[in-house]
Amino acid sequence: ALALVLLSGFVFYEAYKISGFKGLTTGGVMPMLASGVMVLSSLSIFARSVARPASPDIQSIISYLFPLRVVLFAALVAGYAVAIPYAGFMPASGGFLFIAIWALWRRGPVWSLVISAVSMGAIYLLFRIVFQVVLPMGTLWR
């Protein structure tokens, strides 16, 4: 909680350096607002954690900080980042979306596949056709 307070204070300081408190229409207003909310929230979390009695059980702390679902999803994101250069953006993103939706929504593979396919179609249409962004193909397809 203390690290969260320190980090949010640093973020607020960096946001302040953008334009200071010169006006409501300057470029740093939104970053300062967001980081100010971070500072207030982290101070609240810090105050509650100080008031709570200490728990000496390290196993409960680890299971609280790193639930299995979060660890598996972090591994999925890491796998996605590794897969993009090899499989390309569209196949890697489609696979990532399918697995993530199936795991998080728990409606079954058919719904997950439909939503992933529609999402990837929309992404392709928007970025490749409308904005004409060249999406990475990957080394497996060359």
Side-chain angles (χ1 to χ4, degrees), residues 36-50:
V37 170
M38 286 175 56
V39 168
L40 294 175
S41 300
S42 64
L43 286 171
S44 171
I45 291 168
F46 180 73
R48 280 186 282 151
S49 66
V50 168

Side-chain angles (χ1 to χ4, degrees), residues 43-123:
L43 286 171
S44 171
I45 291 168
F46 180 73
R48 280 186 282 151
S49 66
V50 168
R52 186 179 303 162
S55 173
D57 184 17
I58 192 71
Q59 182 66 27
S60 64
I61 293 171
I62 290 173
S63 65
Y64 176 76
L65 291 176
F66 303 107
L68 181 61
R69 192 172 189 163
V70 171
V71 170
L72 292 177
F73 200 81
L76 180 64
V77 169
Y80 171 62
V82 169
I84 288 176
Y86 299 107
F89 177 79
M90 292 299 288
S93 297
F96 172 77
L97 273 177
F98 172 70
I99 294 169
I101 291 170
W102 190 12
L104 294 175
W105 197 27
R106 297 183 180 172
R107 285 280 185 124
V110 174
W111 277 107
S112 301
L113 186 62
V114 168
I115 291 173
S116 299
V118 168
S119 299
M120 291 310 299
I123 289 170

Side-chain angles (χ1 to χ4, degrees), residues 3-42:
L4 191 61
V5 170
L6 295 174
L7 179 65
S8 61
F10 173 74
V11 170
F12 184 81
Y13 174 71
E14 290 296 317
Y16 176 78
K17 287 189 336 185
I18 294 173
S19 63
F21 291 111
K22 293 181 181 165
L24 293 177
T25 58
T26 58
V29 169
M30 289 307 290
M32 281 193 303
L33 180 64
S35 59
V37 170
M38 286 175 56
V39 168
L40 294 175
S41 300
S42 64

